[in-house]
Amino acid sequence: AKGAPADLPPADVLDELRPALEEGARQATADVERRLDNARSARTFAGGLDEVWAAVREGRVGLIAVEEHFQATVRVTDGHLEPVAEGTTAAADPEIREDVVDELIEAALDGGADVVFVEDDSLAGHGRIAAALRF
């Protein structure tokens, strides 16, 4: 006999909600994939850290999809991002950005973009980060 949600232990509430949560996650993933596919078709797609970073700086990004655990340390050179050796820090070089992914996400949100975190390796073919551009 099931009572009102307030009468159920939290684990039982979660069990009741799990199918809806999983379906919502599937729909969200499908929506992101559709938006990125449409962007590829319309030639308004950016893939990889450097391309997405440039588009964010230009205020052109409508949607960013980024793998949940993606982090990168880079050097900014002539307006582009270059990978650096693991363990390199900003203390060694003022052009080093240790949290460039976080910086990029904050800038994208400030610019009105949607940011969606996706499963690790789901964007492996695009450098772990991709965007649908506004123009």
Side-chain angles (χ1 to χ4, degrees):
K2 293 186 179 182
D7 300 331
L8 295 173
D12 290 351
V13 173
L14 186 57
D15 286 342
E16 293 290 314
L17 292 175
R18 186 167 282 117
L21 293 171
E22 289 172 351
E23 178 57 25
R26 272 192 296 277
Q27 287 179 2
T29 298
D31 180 55
V32 168
E33 289 172 359
R34 181 184 49 75
R35 288 176 70 180
L36 292 175
D37 283 344
N38 290 346
R40 275 191 286 274
S41 298
R43 304 234 188 280
T44 55
F45 176 87
L49 195 53
D50 189 48
E51 264 187 47
V52 173
W53 187 72
V56 167
R57 290 184 61 216
E58 295 165 1
R60 299 175 54 209
V61 174
L63 165 76
I64 289 182
V66 61
E67 291 183 7
E68 289 176 358
H69 296 98
F70 180 43
Q71 295 177 307
T73 298
V74 298
R75 176 178 290 112
V76 180
T77 305
D78 296 328
H80 290 281
L81 303 182
E82 295 177 354
V84 295
E86 200 169 318
T88 306
T89 64
D93 181 341
E95 294 299 307
I96 297 292
R97 299 285 216 297
E98 293 180 44
D99 296 319
V100 75
V101 176
D102 292 345
E103 197 179 306
L104 185 150
I105 289 167
E106 284 180 32
L109 290 169
D110 288 347
D114 295 330
V115 175
V116 180
F117 292 92
V118 297
E119 287 183 34
D120 288 343
D121 298 325
S122 62
L123 295 170
H126 302 294
R128 305 186 67 190
I129 188 166
L133 309 179
R134 294 187 180 116
F135 55 91

